[in-house]
Every structure is written in C-alpha cells, then in structure tokens.
C-alpha cells in the first residue's frame, strides 16, 4: 500500500493506493470519522452492482449503519435533483454532523458525493473511493466538488476536501476500455504540464499501462503525487492549481456542446491538441515538442482535434469558471513539463485560436 499525504490549507489527509485497498476502508473510516454512526454510500448504476455490497460490508463490519443512494450513470445526471435526493436520504435517516458520505464511482460520483457532503448540515465529512482511472488520478483528490447546469460543467460547487481517499487498483480491472482511455486524458496532462519522468514512463510503456498491475499502481501514485503537490500550494485555484486545467478551457466547451455525451477525458485531450496547434502557429511551442505530445496522446488512443470552430470555443469559454472579470486564464505548455497561465481577453483568445 502506498500513501500520498495531501496538505491542503484547510485540511490534510491521506490517499491510500494499492491492490485490494478497499479492505482497509472500515478501519480507516473509524480513524478519520470518530464519533460517526451512519454512512451514506453514493454510487451509480454501473458501479453499484460491482462494488456496493463489498464496500457496504466493509463499513458495516467496522460498526457503521450504512445506507446507499444509487443514481443513473452518466454526466447528464450530474445535477441538483440527484443532490437533493442525497440530502433527503440523509435527513430521513437522521444523519448528524459526525456522520459521513462515501463516494463510490468515477468522477461524476466523487464530485456529487463531495458536494452533497459539503452542503448537508453545512458540511459533513466525505471519504472518496474512486473506481475509474480518471477519478483516481484527478477528480477524487483536491476537494473540487460540484454539479453541472445547462450553461456549463461544474458551474455550481464547493471546495470541500475529503477526509480520506482510498484507491483500490483492483477496481480498474472491470473498467471498460473506453473509460480507461478517457482517464489517460488526465494522466497525459500531468505529464505535459509538470512531470517529465511520468512522460518518459508512459512513452516506454508503449500504450499499455493496464496489463502490468504494478506499473499501473506506480502511474496512479505518480499522478496523485503530482496533484497533491499542486493542491498543497494552491488549494482554491487562484494560482498554480489553474495549470491543472490544461486542455480544459477548450475541452469543457466541446463537452458541453455535445450535451455531455462526449467523455470528459476525451474532450480534454482534444482541447490539449487544439491549444498545442495554436502555440505552434504562434511560434511559442517547438513543432517537435508538439509532435512528441501528440504522439503520446495517439499512443493511448486519444484524439487530438475536433471540428469545433474558434468562435464557438471563445463564446463557450466566456461562461467558464476560470474567467476572472473580462479575462480568461488560458493554460499553455510552451515547453514540455512546464505550464504557464496566460491571461487573455475574448478578442485575444479568438486571435490566438485563429492564427
């Protein structure tokens, strides 16, 4: 079992990573949630049939009263109606401020479980138990929680750090290939913006990190360590943490315009590719570096472009939560392993994309 300590300004906590890590959930929950009597497991219809009984048994074995809330799988259900359902479930069960929520699923689930916990009784604890690669390397760590509204992704939410994250690598065995590939969008992003060792490890693996469970655990550990270092420096997204949004400004627009039918990690990969091309045209990114990054995306079966227009990107980005006043924080990689934040007006962003 590997441990990454996240030292956010508001709270410090552990991320436990390993094969069969879920078996320690009950004992670890007692440590981080002293005085808790009840637990709500939030999951969705794809994951619950696989792992809900196992997780419930672990918590009940530790003496907790456990109830569950299972919603329909998919980004389209990441809204206020499901959150209200979670609130009502906890209220009906008599939850108090010492009780806690467990998010069991991918990024949609961990985002929603965290938001339900952040807002019920003005905040109760949450433990994240991610089951997808994307959720393990990104969504479950760092305390960003939220839901979507018609105008955009994650437009309503809160910073609410978990009390514990348990990442059971064995859960990835049941992940469909296309969902695993989606998670590689976030894995490659970390390599591009800050981690040359990760980049080289991914290149050496030649497109297959899944068949070697030890390698997969190492890759997850490296990504979580990268994310933890950023969150420890900038919890609330006012500085360095914004660099984790590489590819996201464009990707979120593609995702929203698809009616949230295109997977998040796929849209991030497209966003990165589009920004890389713009940087090459602007003369700030060497063509060889761009080709190296694109080659890695292709190696892991990720797309590098989309038919969205610059005008559509800019209009959509104006509703992005990374906007500050009349400027947008656009994340660029002009040298592999080093991301930078570029403030652009609407007009400057359109010019950048249209060069």
């Amino acid at each position: 079992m590997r441990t990454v300590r996240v030292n956010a300004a508001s709270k410090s906590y552990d991320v436990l990573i390993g094969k069969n890590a879920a078996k320690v959930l009950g004992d670890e929950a007692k440590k981080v949630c002293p005085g808790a009597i009840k637990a709500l497991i939030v999951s969705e219809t794809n994951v619950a049939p696989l792992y809900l009984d196992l997780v419930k048994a672990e918590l009940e074995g530790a003496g907790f009263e456990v109830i569950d809330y299972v919603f329909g799988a998919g980004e389209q259900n990441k809204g206020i109606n499901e959150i209200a359902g979670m609130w009502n479930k906890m209220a009906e069960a008599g939850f108090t401020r010492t009780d806690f929520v467990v998010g069991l699923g991918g990024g949609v689930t961990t985002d929603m479980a965290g938001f339900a916990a952040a807002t019920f009784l003005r905040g109760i604890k949450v433990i994240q138990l991610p089951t997808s690669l994307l959720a393990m390397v990104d969504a479950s760590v760092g305390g960003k929680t939220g839901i979507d509204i018609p105008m955009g992704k994650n437009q309503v939410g809160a910073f609410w750090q978990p009390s514990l994250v348990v990442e059971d690598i064995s859960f990835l065995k049941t992940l469909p290939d296309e969902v695993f590939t989606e998670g590689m969008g976030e894995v490659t992003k970390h390599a591009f913006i800050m981690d040359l060792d990760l980049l080289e490890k991914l290149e050496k693996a030649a497109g297959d990190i899944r068949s070697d469970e030890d390698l997969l655990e190492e890759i997850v550990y490296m990504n979580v360590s990268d994310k933890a270092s950023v969150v420890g420096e900038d919890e609330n997204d006012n500085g360095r943490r914004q660099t984790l949004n590489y590819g996201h400004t464009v990707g979120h627009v593609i995702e929203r315009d698809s009616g949230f039918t295109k997977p998040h990690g796929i849209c991030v990969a497209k966003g990165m590719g589009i920004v890389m091309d713009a940087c090459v045209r602007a003369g700030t990114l060497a063509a060889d570096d761009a080709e190296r990054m694109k080659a890695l995306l292709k190696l892991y079966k990720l797309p590098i472009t989309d038919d969205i227009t610059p005008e559509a990107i800019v209009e959509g980005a104006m509703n992005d939560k990374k906007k500050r006043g009349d400027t947008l924080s656009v994340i660029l990689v002009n040298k592999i392993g080093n991301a930078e934040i570029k403030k652009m007006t609407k007009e400057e962003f359109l010019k950048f994309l249209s060069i």
Side-chain angles (χ1 to χ4, degrees), residues 64-101:
F64 297 109
E65 297 175 21
V66 184
I67 61 173
D68 61 79
Y69 184 93
V70 179
F71 63 94
E75 186 84 25
Q76 67 272 18
N77 293 318
K78 189 180 177 183
I80 192 63
N81 290 340
E82 298 295 348
I83 296 295
M86 297 171 203
W87 292 332
N88 288 331
K89 193 91 171 183
M90 289 188 282
E92 290 166 0
F95 271 52
T96 71
R97 285 182 173 172
T98 58
D99 297 319
F100 64 98
V101 176

Side-chain angles (χ1 to χ4, degrees), residues 172-245:
L172 297 178
K173 291 178 181 178
T174 59
L175 203 64
D177 288 343
E178 64 273 14
V179 181
F180 189 90
T181 296
E182 178 194 358
M184 291 304 300
E186 296 288 358
V187 171
T188 53
K189 176 202 74 179
H190 286 140
F192 297 156
I193 67 171
M194 64 184 298
D195 196 335
L196 290 174
D197 289 341
L198 176 60
L199 178 73
E200 292 171 1
K201 194 173 287 287
L202 292 171
E203 289 174 331
K204 185 178 179 180
D208 180 19
I209 65 168
R210 195 171 189 182
S211 60
D212 183 340
E213 203 169 36
D214 291 333
L215 173 62
L216 181 56
E217 182 179 319
E218 175 71 13
I219 294 293
V220 170
Y221 172 78
M222 293 176 75
N223 277 269
V224 173
S225 298
D226 287 340
K227 181 78 179 280
S229 71
V230 174
V231 172
E233 182 178 323
D234 174 27
E235 179 178 6
N236 292 328
D237 219 12
N238 292 315
R240 187 186 172 201
R241 188 168 182 174
Q242 293 181 47
T243 63
L244 295 174
N245 290 316

Side-chain angles (χ1 to χ4, degrees), residues 335-353:
K335 180 181 179 182
I336 298 176
N338 184 33
E340 57 187 84
I341 304 167
K342 180 73 172 178
K343 301 287 187 182
M344 297 187 191
T345 63
K346 179 178 179 179
E347 294 75 21
E348 288 169 341
F349 191 33
L350 180 59
K351 182 179 178 180
F352 169 73
L353 293 171

Side-chain angles (χ1 to χ4, degrees), residues 146-188:
I147 55 175
D148 303 335
I149 59 175
M151 289 301 292
K153 183 179 174 70
N154 294 331
Q155 289 286 297
V156 179
F159 288 98
W160 191 251
Q161 298 294 340
S163 295
L164 174 71
V165 183
V166 179
E167 305 200 345
D168 192 328
I169 300 299
S170 305
F171 285 177
L172 297 178
K173 291 178 181 178
T174 59
L175 203 64
D177 288 343
E178 64 273 14
V179 181
F180 189 90
T181 296
E182 178 194 358
M184 291 304 300
E186 296 288 358
V187 171
T188 53

